[in-house]
Amino acid sequence: MSETASALSRPEFPRSNRYDPAWVLEHQMGPNPLWLAEWLCEELGLEPGMRVLDLGCGTALTSVFLAREFGVRVWACDLWIDPDANWRRVGAAGAGELVYPLRAEAHALPFPQGFFDAAVSIDAYHYFGTDDLYLGYWSGFVRPGGVLGVVVPGLVRPFEAGVPAHLAEPQSNGKVFWEDECWSFHTAAWWQELWSRCGKVADVKAGMQPDGWRHWRDFEREVEKTGKSPFPSDAEALDRDQGRYVGFVRVTARRSEKESLNLYDAALGVRFGVGG
């Protein structure tokens, strides 16, 4: 086993260990997406043949993982990554029969209501899902009884007096960890409360990943060794933090079996004579 493969082999992620680390490092866009996807799937109960929305899929590594590991059909949606490039990547990974890449914006998803059995978002949902109303919109694309799950970078606990110095000061490479976008990082309790307010979902569970900061730091170090990342490493800041504040939050829920009336759709039905 190579040094890199050894560094990226984790007993916590036996499924991820089967993938070529060079492939993951070549196409990564942040913390190891397969580790995060595997941790998320522990709570989802995915079964072969399910239709799954992978929102903010990036380079579709998570979509390939879901398809190959669970036999699900995955709609790999991302706004920024060319779906043609994702299609080539998916085909090369042997998942072309199960993964369908497309470009989509999170607030304008081109799917019918209740189309999916499950919807996931890995290391992306915090960019668009902190809106009080977004979960109500997103969950509408999942059938009643289906599952939703996200993994996002988050906080172990709120800051006591502003951003801690070790996260706000430049690292030796000049990179500052805590940028304005990091204000979308929240605690598990914050996510639990936000999702629990949505009447379209039930059985909400939120929690921190054990040793999440360590996995993040170690992956950053391996990415840094490749010299291929367009961004300076955050490993130094994560090492300073030692999991006191920064880690990963997993949030899962079930689409409520109780259907709520969509007044907007109902009004359109009456107006155009298509109501019951």
Side-chain angles (χ1 to χ4, degrees):
M1 181 183 293
S2 69
E3 182 180 346
T4 298
S6 179
L8 295 182
S9 178
R10 298 289 156 104
E12 299 96 327
F13 311 117
R15 292 178 183 270
S16 300
N17 291 342
R18 298 198 286 260
Y19 291 77
D20 182 0
W23 178 74
V24 178
L25 290 167
E26 177 71 23
H27 302 295
Q28 59 78 32
M29 295 180 64
N32 191 315
L34 302 194
W35 291 349
L36 299 179
E38 185 164 354
W39 180 53
L40 176 59
C41 288
E42 293 174 358
E43 293 289 330
L44 297 184
L46 298 180
E47 297 179 357
M50 281 185 167
R51 291 193 293 258
V52 178
L53 169 61
D54 186 4
L55 183 57
C57 68
T59 54
L61 302 193
T62 52
S63 303
V64 169
F65 178 87
L66 294 168
R68 289 179 53 173
E69 295 302 313
F70 301 99
V72 297
R73 292 175 288 166
V74 186
W75 278 255
C77 298
D78 199 90
L79 178 62
W80 306 112
I81 303 302
D82 182 0
D84 292 335
N86 273 349
W87 178 239
R88 291 191 294 271
R89 200 164 14 253
V90 164
E97 295 298 316
L98 292 173
V99 179
Y100 319 116
L102 66 158
R103 191 186 302 276
E105 202 281 324
H107 298 84
L109 297 175
F111 306 109
Q113 294 287 290
F115 180 76
F116 294 103
D117 300 294
V120 304
S121 183
I122 297 158
D123 195 22
Y125 191 82
H126 56 298
Y127 292 121
F128 47 79
T130 58
D131 184 312
D132 288 351
L133 303 181
Y134 188 76
L135 179 60
Y137 168 75
W138 191 47
S139 63
F141 297 101
V142 177
R143 63 168 174 79
V147 293
L148 302 101
V150 306
V151 175
V152 292
L155 297 178
V156 176
R157 62 179 186 271
F159 297 145
E160 292 84 2
V163 182
H166 68 276
L167 298 177
E169 294 174 352
Q171 303 170 97
S172 59
N173 61 10
K175 170 76 161 54
V176 173
F177 178 88
W178 193 270
E179 301 174 327
D180 285 346
E181 290 79 3
C182 293
W183 288 112
S184 64
F185 292 10
H186 297 288
T187 64
W190 188 94
W191 283 106
Q192 177 83 36
E193 181 182 0
L194 178 67
W195 278 36
S196 295
R197 292 200 299 262
C198 178
K200 289 185 176 181
V201 301
D203 301 334
V204 177
K205 292 192 292 185
M208 297 295 301
Q209 182 181 44
D211 279 335
W213 73 272
R214 191 187 309 275
H215 300 316
W216 190 352
R217 179 202 62 187
D218 293 351
F219 189 70
E220 286 278 307
R221 286 175 172 169
E222 293 305 311
V223 172
E224 191 173 18
K225 289 177 185 177
T226 69
K228 295 180 180 179
S229 176
F231 310 108
S233 172
D234 282 315
E236 185 178 315
L238 292 165
D239 197 50
R240 292 176 188 168
D241 187 65
Q242 293 282 304
R244 286 176 288 169
Y245 291 101
V246 178
F248 289 103
V249 175
R250 176 177 64 194
V251 196
T252 59
R254 178 177 53 83
R255 176 72 163 85
S256 177
E257 298 280 359
K258 182 179 179 181
E259 290 291 338
S260 58
L261 177 65
N262 187 323
L263 296 180
Y264 181 74
D265 289 344
L268 288 179
V270 172
R271 179 179 175 187
F272 293 105
V274 297

